[in-house]
Amino acid sequence: MKRLLPLCVPLCLSLLLTSCAHRPINAHLRAYTPETGYYFHTHPRTNNSDDMLFILSFSGGGTRAAALACGVLEELAKTRITQAGKPRRLLDEVDAISSVSGGSVTAAAYALYGDAAFAQLETNFLKRNVQGALVSRTANPFNWCKLLSATYGRS
């Protein structure tokens, strides 16, 4: 134990010193110009009203996050509103979707397939036994050479 003490002290000090972070201070804004900066732009959509800006944000968390996002989209599709005197689905008013991880699976499926994504997502992702598929692929002797490859991914 006494032999490890001289090694632990420099190690702890180096960890302590390298864990400190700093950031550069932003320069002060000298003038405000409304023509520049970050603005939200969407592609024109024929089934969307210009009177409402509706943005969704889906979080991560794997299959559970994808299921929650799918449920939100399904409920928005069922919810009817009257916009500019016309009855429409609330889902048709969505201008953009921001997502990460599991929520991105649902967002990408909806972007690619529209309303057909709900049925496809449920069977192809949400109710799929991913862990069982991974275990069976790992146990299959024909895949053992692939598993040793650096380019073979688990998904």
Side-chain angles (χ1 to χ4, degrees), residues 122-137:
E122 186 172 340
T123 57
N124 295 338
F125 184 75
L126 297 178
K127 292 188 175 177
R128 183 174 172 208
N129 184 0
V130 177
Q131 184 174 355
L134 290 175
V135 169
S136 67
R137 287 181 191 167

Side-chain angles (χ1 to χ4, degrees), residues 107-121:
Y110 181 68
L112 288 171
Y113 305 113
D115 290 342
F118 301 133
Q120 291 180 9
L121 191 64

